[in-house]
Amino acid sequence: MRVHIATDHAGMELSSHLITALSANGYEMVDHGPAAYDAEDDYPAFCIKAATAVAADRAAGVDALGIVLGGSGNGEQIAANKVKGVRAALAWNLDTAKLAREHNDANVVAVGGRQHTVEEATELIEAFLAEPFSNAERHVRRIGKIGTYETTGEITE
């Protein structure tokens, strides 16, 4: 599986750790930056690039997911969710990480680097990456309604 990753300055240590650890576990890691620490960096460009790459890979049939990191993960999740076809979820415990994939077929996970130890964050992300989508009819239906709104602006009930 290809995994696109992006961060801001607050998640650089975690990003570096994840690239090494997940590569060792067989994931093809693609780093969307930043390349160097800058306490004044602006995360949206990094996160949007990672999310865009996830959406493009998935549209091309490539098995791909994404990771966006920051201090809280909130802004990074918001930025990633602006990309058409991306469903980014903020994970703060194992249940939210797994349910994001199982119920929502989230394709990007956001984690706050200042909210967890490196070990905790790694466990959340590994759980997200490993969890399959359930394909349960109710979840497929709900995700379809989100997709309809995203592409047409129509709210379906």
Side-chain angles (χ1 to χ4, degrees):
M1 176 188 293
R2 184 175 296 158
V3 179
H4 297 275
I5 189 167
T7 188
D8 74 349
H9 61 278
M12 293 225 28
E13 177 185 338
L14 177 57
S15 180
S16 177
H17 166 77
L18 289 169
I19 291 168
T20 300
L22 295 174
S23 293
N25 288 340
Y27 292 99
E28 177 190 348
M29 300 301 295
V30 181
D31 187 1
H32 292 273
Y37 180 84
D38 176 0
E40 296 295 318
D41 67 4
D42 293 328
Y43 61 83
F46 306 124
C47 295
I48 291 169
K49 287 177 186 177
T52 299
V54 169
D57 273 354
R58 291 174 70 91
V62 176
D63 188 17
L65 293 172
I67 302 166
V68 292
L69 307 167
S72 70
N74 283 313
E76 295 74 20
Q77 175 201 26
I78 292 167
N81 273 320
K82 298 302 178 186
V83 175
K84 184 178 178 182
V86 168
R87 288 179 304 282
L90 180 66
W92 65 89
N93 63 27
L94 282 175
D95 285 340
T96 59
K98 291 177 182 179
L99 289 170
R101 292 282 306 132
E102 181 184 349
H103 288 189
N104 306 112
D105 198 18
N107 47 28
V108 174
V109 65
V111 174
R114 292 181 177 155
Q115 311 307 309
H116 309 280
T117 66
V118 169
E119 294 77 19
E120 290 169 345
T122 302
E123 184 179 24
L124 296 178
I125 290 164
E126 287 175 338
F128 175 87
L129 295 175
E131 189 70 30
F133 177 50
S134 71
N135 279 303
E137 186 279 329
R138 72 183 193 276
H139 299 308
V140 171
R141 182 181 69 244
R142 293 166 185 163
I143 293 165
K145 289 180 178 194
I146 294 168
T148 296
Y149 178 77
E150 182 180 51
T151 57
T152 70
E154 177 186 348
I155 300 172
T156 55
E157 294 189 26

